[in-house]
Amino acid sequence: MNRITGSARALLATAALLLVAGTASTASATADTSRWASEQLPPGNVSLTGYAKPDAHTTWAAGFSITESGLAPVLYAKDERDDRGWIEVPTAPGYAGRVNAVAASSARDAWLVGDKARTGTAIATQHWDGTSWSVFAADAPAAASSAGYLSVVAHSPTDAWAAGWATIVDGVTTDPNGEPTQVIHREGIVGRWNGTSWQRMTLPQPYPSWNLNAITVVTANDVWAVGNGTNDDDKPVTLHYDGHAWSIVPTPAFTGLYGELYGVVAHGPNDVWAVGRTVLDPNDRGHALIMRWNGHAWRQVSVPAEAGALAGAAPVPGGIVTVGQKATADAEPYGLHITAGQARSLDLPAPSPGGANYTSAVGVDCGRVTIVGSGAQRAQILTGRL
């Protein structure tokens, strides 16, 4: 069984007004791959994990590359006024490691978030002030052997939010061979930027071991974070912040043995969407799991049987666009446009020769869709229209 736990979104890098008891119908159509264009990118062994649009002309795609000395941050930029297409642009000097997510509130306020260095307790984040990137450390729990932020929202220059995980060392025991083995568990973490520094927030503990994969901000007093329990508690987790404290919000019984939420987006306080994966049987690699908050409760949304694990989502009028994989052994890229009670396939093109391509993040601007991901040891960006 191919179960995904821990830092799920990074490992994958790879409707409208539904009634409480209603489901979304599936609209089938002949695939039209001509609507999608594969963007030309700089060469390199790169995995893309995030998408942002800092201004009306500029698009960013962020991720990391694998080098001889380890992982290195990567940021691609495209300016519609420039005929050079996608180019690699520098991030903060001296920064090393993954970039798991990118977000921007304006051309002068953006964030890149990644993982904790192997030594110390700091999670490295980078801030863009319109001129250059600067590194700001965010504290992880003192007992964390590893940690990182997987999602970030740039709400304003004095208010940003990030969510992720920390692996906590509880002690040391011996394995059956008498070798020392660490006893560990996972904890979700949320940090909030106050304009000067990151402050780690106090969270409830939904399970003995669990993590957070994504966060979205409706207002400064209305924030959602989603993830999953781990090990035997591999079930969806949703947390809500009301301006005073975080609380656990129950999710409904879902179809499947296990369930995880990897992405969350909001139209408003009474319309929040979470996407992820459910495992239907021990041999299932994962089917799509979508839940919608109506202001009172979460409800599972019906999706096509071919839809597999969904890693990212973006709001569109009346619904969402979400991307991930097909629920098949070859894990082809897959996307859905959910609106007006229907779930329509985005008809993404088949993977290129050399291996499967994974979609990890999506953005929509004026009907233009940008999907980022990776596969066959190369980055991939698809653009098209709904």
Side-chain angles (χ1 to χ4, degrees), residues 71-73 91-100 112-115 124-126 135:
L71 302 178
T91 59
Y95 179 95
R98 290 192 314 187
V99 169
N100 299 325
L112 299 171
V113 297
D115 299 337
T125 73
Q126 299 183 55
V135 175

Side-chain angles (χ1 to χ4, degrees), residues 163-196:
W165 93 102
T167 301
I168 307 299
V169 179
D170 299 313
V172 178
T173 185
T174 56
D175 64 17
N177 297 321
E179 297 294 329
T181 301
Q182 287 185 335
V183 179
I184 62 173
H185 73 278
R186 287 285 185 91
E187 289 184 6
I189 56 175
V190 170
R192 185 177 186 183
W193 174 259
N194 60 14
T196 303

Side-chain angles (χ1 to χ4, degrees), residues 1 22 77-78 107 149 151 180 184 199 218 225 241 255 258 305 313-314 348 351 361 367:
M1 180 173 60
K78 182 178 181 180
Y149 287 139
S151 178
I184 62 173
Q199 304 296 316
V218 182
Y241 179 74
T255 304
Y258 308 103
L348 298 182

Side-chain angles (χ1 to χ4, degrees), residues 12 16 43 88 144 336:
L12 282 171
E88 185 171 355
L336 287 172

Side-chain angles (χ1 to χ4, degrees), residues 50-376:
Y51 159 97
K53 198 165 180 62
D55 60 44
H57 308 289
T58 308
T59 305
W60 287 341
F64 58 93
S65 64
I66 302 174
T67 69
E68 292 182 357
S69 58
L71 302 178
V74 172
L75 181 63
Y76 293 148
K78 182 178 181 180
D79 190 328
E80 300 296 339
R81 302 163 297 183
D82 188 332
D83 61 5
R84 291 181 298 170
W86 289 94
I87 61 173
E88 185 171 355
V89 295
T91 59
Y95 179 95
R98 290 192 314 187
V99 169
N100 299 325
V102 58
S105 69
S106 72
R108 297 189 175 191
D109 177 44
W111 288 95
L112 299 171
V113 297
D115 299 337
K116 183 178 85 69
R118 293 190 178 186
T119 59
T121 61
I123 299 171
T125 73
Q126 299 183 55
H127 182 256
W128 173 256
D129 62 5
T131 302
S132 62
W133 292 95
S134 301
V135 175
F136 288 87
D139 285 340
S145 61
S146 63
Y149 287 139
L150 299 174
S151 178
V152 62
V153 176
H155 190 230
S156 76
T158 58
D159 191 28
W161 303 71
W165 93 102
T167 301
I168 307 299
V169 179
D170 299 313
V172 178
T173 185
T174 56
D175 64 17
N177 297 321
E179 297 294 329
T181 301
Q182 287 185 335
V183 179
I184 62 173
H185 73 278
R186 287 285 185 91
E187 289 184 6
I189 56 175
V190 170
R192 185 177 186 183
W193 174 259
N194 60 14
T196 303
S197 62
W198 287 98
Q199 304 296 316
R200 189 157 48 88
M201 306 189 80
T202 301
L203 302 179
Q205 301 294 312
Y207 294 108
S209 184
W210 62 289
N211 50 254
L212 292 173
N213 299 318
I215 193 166
T216 192
V217 177
V218 182
T219 69
N221 296 325
D222 187 0
V223 183
W224 288 91
V226 302
N228 54 275
T230 63
N231 302 324
D232 294 335
D233 296 313
D234 191 358
K235 299 177 179 64
V237 167
T238 63
L239 302 183
H240 181 254
Y241 179 74
D242 63 2
H244 301 285
W246 287 90
S247 61
I248 300 167
V249 180
T251 56
F254 59 93
T255 304
L257 301 176
Y258 308 103
E260 299 129 9
L261 296 174
Y262 304 145
V264 61
V265 294
H267 286 285
N270 300 324
D271 193 7
V272 182
W273 298 71
V275 303
R277 181 186 82 149
T278 179
V279 177
L280 302 182
D281 60 61
N283 297 316
D284 182 20
R285 66 175 297 114
H287 282 72
L289 176 62
I290 301 181
M291 295 185 179
R292 189 179 187 186
W293 173 260
N294 61 12
H296 303 285
W298 288 99
R299 295 289 184 263
Q300 187 172 352
V301 176
S302 179
V303 295
E306 66 179 355
L310 299 172
V316 295
I320 62 170
V321 168
T322 179
V323 296
Q325 307 171 25
K326 281 188 176 180
T328 55
D330 51 11
E332 292 183 9
Y334 187 80
L336 287 172
H337 179 198
I338 302 179
T339 185
Q342 292 185 326
R344 297 179 180 272
S345 170
L346 293 180
D347 294 324
L348 298 182
S352 60
N357 293 321
Y358 300 96
T359 49
S360 58
V362 59
V364 182
D365 181 58
C366 298
R368 183 178 178 84
V369 184
T370 301
I371 300 172
V372 306
S374 57

